[in-house]
Amino acid sequence: MYALVDCNNFYASCERVFQPRLMGRPVVVLSNNDGCVIARSQEAKDLDIPMGAHYHTWEAAFRRNNVIVCSSNYPLYGDMSARVMTVLKEFSPHVEVYSIDESFLSLHHVPVADLLRYGQRMRQTVAKHVGMPVGAGIAATKTLAKVASKLSKQHNGVCVLHPQAKAEEVLATFPVSKVWGIGGRYARFLQGHEISTALDLCHAKDSWIQQHLSIVGLRTVMELRGTPCLSLEEVAPRKQVIAVSRTFRNAVKDYTALSEALATYTARAAEKLRAQQCGCTIIKVHVATNIYQDGLSQYGNSATVSFALPTDYTPRLVKAAVQGLKTIYRPGYAYKIAGVYFMGLVAEEEGSQLDLFNTPTPAPSRALMKCMDRINGEHGRGTLKLAAEGGTQPWRMRQKHLSQRYTTRWNEVLKVGV
Amino acid sequence: MKSPLFIPLLQSRIAAGFPSPADDYLDVALDLNEHLIAHPAATFYVRVAGSSMEGAGIFDDDLLIVDRSLEATLGNIVVAVIDGDFTVKRLVKRRNKVLLVSEHPDYPPIQVHEESEATIWGVVTYCLHRC
């Protein structure tokens, strides 16, 4: 048996752990740069505030309804997520961290008759230890556990879909478009063939499914029928692309500012690259004006620079990014977005002997990067940076409603008046 | 809450000179995290502002280690939430009433009603005070 444990309104719930006043009040969390709504508390959902709502168009409505607005505080959310996952590991030897707020657990060690109670204990423990409300869906396969988790709210937080007859009762009214792995495109196709519920899909012929939905789709159907086909992925697969891209709050015209921003994103991407022990062979930089704004002269372009040998050395990567920018920068435009993409990622051990005529990153440079990552890890991102990243960084994003980093910075821990 | 492990290096060489007499007694250096934090995922830090807990040895600007996984029992010092505000108090029972009390003569105790909005957020396990 598998469980999918899902945090309720995760970002908003993280804020509430340290600001109990937000309990019972509508809370929205904004994207980087305070652009639009990316997370809502239940109360905010009840006010019909949509995902993606633009802050500046909704600001007045938020004020009228006493909606609490938070900038996204990723250091806090990341730490709280890791805490939730750590607590869950006490309940299962096999945990797959599926996303920042969802985990699959294998529950093969729990007798079927105890699953509901076990699920409730998991829920209560996470709520007590971390302060995070979670729900759990439990079933014979991961795909069914996903279905069960969608129903957990109506079942005191834990829904067990077992045995299969019970699961099918639910699948009979479960829209096929909401099945994990089906997606909108397939759903439309299926509806055209009079398959609108998950149960309809279960009853379709294997050969027909494989023909139209491929082997991947067939696996999904087998899982809906109660046959496990997907196992837990306990080790996250290495990323194939590392992207760091941001929208500027105020458009940037100046070459220096653009170059500083790209250098900063490149340095951040390089940190991620080293964390997954890879080298990069292709770097792409991209800049563009605001295509949503009429009456503005538009321009967007990207440039690609490749390396003969994979590298993870920040100065080399930054140099390439700036070189790329030089070829695509055109003066006179108001740039709204800039980003860097690392591609052609090669694991360190694979890439080290590819090219006889080039030398890989020399040892002192490696040591320097290690040292830089450690200092920035301990004292905060950007403590140690290249001069190319700029000093005051006026192009930096705005986060006007940022809460403290209660769990990752000594000078920002929760202060309590006693 | 990651904790670096201090592993002493083997100092003595094999062939030349005398082996260190301590080699057989090599131990791992003491780690304060291990001593202060039993449940890392449930442990949070709180900075104190104010004087109402001085009688318990908790002073302004001290750092409290708070373990949310512990069940609060009478006599514990706890971080509580009263009407949406955090506070630090001692949980006691007097004349069959559960109270949150300060440790300072100037502050009256707060009664925890069944229906009141007081909840225990975590149990204070240690107080770090700069000497």
Side-chain angles (χ1 to χ4, degrees):
Chain A
M1 298 293 279
Y2 293 94
L4 178 74
V5 179
D6 187 1
C7 300
N8 301 341
N9 314 312
F10 179 62
Y11 293 177
S13 298
C14 286
E15 300 287 350
R16 280 177 170 165
V17 172
F18 302 93
Q19 299 179 70
R21 270 189 183 286
L22 306 189
M23 286 293 177
R25 299 186 57 183
V27 178
V28 296
V29 179
L30 302 177
S31 60
N32 274 334
N33 241 331
D34 293 350
C36 55
V37 172
I38 52 162
R40 304 158 297 166
S41 72
Q42 190 55 50
E43 297 77 4
K45 290 175 186 171
D46 295 343
L47 284 173
D48 290 327
I49 300 167
M51 280 293 265
H54 278 275
Y55 179 43
H56 65 266
T57 47
W58 280 76
E59 203 173 351
F62 289 167
R63 212 169 300 132
R64 268 201 310 282
N65 291 291
N66 289 318
V67 176
I68 309 283
V69 176
C70 302
S71 301
S72 37
N73 186 344
Y74 286 110
L76 178 67
Y77 309 153
D79 180 73
M80 293 298 278
S81 170
R83 288 167 182 263
V84 170
M85 304 314 171
T86 306
V87 173
L88 290 177
K89 279 181 188 140
E90 292 168 22
F91 287 90
S92 169
H94 305 291
V95 176
E96 172 190 339
V97 177
Y98 181 67
S99 70
I100 194 165
D101 59 353
E102 286 172 290
S103 266
F104 285 106
L105 279 68
S106 98
L107 294 183
H108 300 300
H109 57 292
V110 183
V112 170
D114 292 344
L115 284 170
L116 187 60
R117 224 176 326 146
Y118 199 78
Q120 286 295 356
R121 230 182 69 217
M122 257 178 349
R123 242 183 109 231
Q124 286 150 7
T125 308
V126 175
K128 176 151 176 49
H129 290 204
V130 190
M132 180 59 56
V134 300
I138 302 173
T141 68
K142 285 170 77 177
T143 307
L144 284 172
K146 265 279 205 193
V147 173
S149 84
K150 292 228 162 61
L151 304 171
S152 64
K153 267 204 190 109
Q154 295 103 279
H155 293 81
N156 280 325
V158 181
C159 172
V160 181
L161 282 188
H162 193 78
Q164 187 61 17
K166 193 177 163 192
E168 288 189 0
E169 228 170 85
V170 166
L171 297 182
T173 57
F174 198 81
V176 74
S177 59
K178 288 197 175 160
V179 172
W180 186 42
I182 291 296
R185 195 168 60 90
Y186 278 138
R188 264 191 303 282
F189 166 79
L190 290 169
Q191 269 149 12
H193 289 79
E194 288 177 359
I195 294 175
S196 57
T197 71
L199 191 62
D200 295 338
L201 187 60
C202 286
H203 291 153
K205 264 211 187 101
D206 285 7
S207 55
W208 186 85
I209 295 165
Q210 188 165 353
Q211 187 191 337
H212 295 286
L213 273 66
S214 85
I215 186 74
V216 180
L218 184 59
R219 265 186 223 132
T220 297
V221 178
M222 301 280 283
E223 285 238 319
L224 285 174
R225 292 175 186 155
T227 311
C229 296
L230 305 171
S231 51
L232 289 184
E233 292 174 23
E234 293 175 58
V235 182
R238 277 202 177 107
K239 286 212 178 87
Q240 296 303 303
V241 176
I242 293 175
V244 178
S245 148
R246 302 273 185 272
T247 310
F248 299 115
R249 173 115 205 145
N250 300 310
V252 168
K253 286 190 164 174
D254 173 43
Y255 171 80
T256 313
L258 212 50
S259 151
E260 281 177 13
L262 279 171
T264 305
Y265 305 162
T266 306
R268 174 65 192 128
E271 234 172 67
K272 292 184 182 185
L273 186 69
R274 290 191 291 271
Q276 70 169 36
Q277 297 180 323
C278 281
C280 147
T281 52
I282 301 164
I283 175 171
K284 186 175 107 175
V285 296
H286 172 75
V287 293
T289 53
N290 187 0
I291 55 164
Y292 298 106
Q293 201 170 327
D294 294 329
L296 208 70
S297 39
Q298 301 287 348
Y299 173 70
N301 207 349
S302 52
T304 306
V305 179
S306 48
F307 303 99
L309 205 71
T311 181
D312 64 357
Y313 187 47
T314 301
R316 188 175 299 164
L317 290 158
V318 166
K319 202 174 154 194
V322 172
Q323 195 188 321
L325 174 67
K326 267 183 195 147
T327 64
I328 55 172
Y329 176 78
R330 299 281 177 277
Y333 292 100
Y335 295 94
K336 188 70 179 169
I337 188 165
V340 296
Y341 306 83
F342 289 0
M343 297 171 295
L345 306 188
V346 184
E348 244 167 33
E349 63 272 21
E350 296 163 28
S352 49
Q353 295 167 342
L354 286 181
D355 192 331
L356 281 174
F357 302 100
N358 277 295
T359 46
T361 315
S365 311
R366 249 164 211 285
L368 179 65
M369 289 302 101
K370 215 175 209 168
C371 173
M372 191 159 139
D373 289 345
R374 207 194 61 229
I375 288 171
N376 286 336
E378 281 170 17
H379 299 277
R381 202 161 286 156
T383 304
L384 201 60
K385 58 188 177 187
L386 301 191
E389 294 176 49
T392 57
Q393 306 188 328
W395 41 268
R396 239 181 199 294
M397 59 192 190
R398 193 165 83 170
Q399 294 183 297
K400 237 174 75 185
H401 310 277
L402 193 60
S403 52
Q404 286 142 259
R405 291 166 292 181
Y406 299 101
T407 58
T408 55
R409 286 285 174 268
W410 284 116
N411 54 1
E412 295 182 27
V413 300
L414 185 65
K415 200 165 200 173
V416 172
V418 310
Chain B
M1 241 160 294
K2 65 186 167 193
S3 179
L5 215 57
F6 298 103
I7 301 167
L9 290 168
L10 268 167
Q11 293 282 344
S12 56
R13 298 198 187 118
I14 307 289
F18 294 99
S20 160
D23 275 0
D24 289 343
Y25 303 92
L26 267 188
D27 218 336
V28 174
L30 292 174
D31 177 2
L32 203 52
N33 278 347
E34 193 185 299
H35 182 67
L36 298 178
I37 296 164
H39 310 103
T43 297
F44 296 86
Y45 302 104
V46 165
R47 179 79 61 190
V48 174
S51 57
S52 81
M53 292 302 285
E54 286 185 356
I58 297 174
F59 293 87
D60 187 50
D61 212 36
D62 281 358
L63 189 73
L64 304 179
I65 299 179
V66 182
D67 190 335
R68 287 184 54 105
S69 72
L70 301 176
E71 224 41 77
T73 55
L74 294 176
N76 281 160
I77 292 172
V78 297
V79 173
V81 178
I82 299 171
D83 297 325
D85 284 324
F86 280 112
T87 186
V88 176
K89 294 281 174 276
R90 194 185 289 282
L91 190 68
V92 298
K93 201 171 185 178
R94 281 179 200 157
R95 292 191 212 94
N96 265 334
K97 281 178 188 158
V98 177
L99 302 175
L100 289 168
V101 296
S102 298
E103 300 258 339
H104 197 287
D106 296 350
Y107 297 84
I110 301 161
Q111 193 170 330
V112 183
H113 294 288
E114 291 278 322
E115 69 280 12
S116 79
E117 284 293 299
T119 52
I120 307 290
W121 193 86
V123 175
V124 177
T125 52
Y126 289 94
C127 169
L128 302 185
H129 175 78
R130 181 182 280 276
C131 293

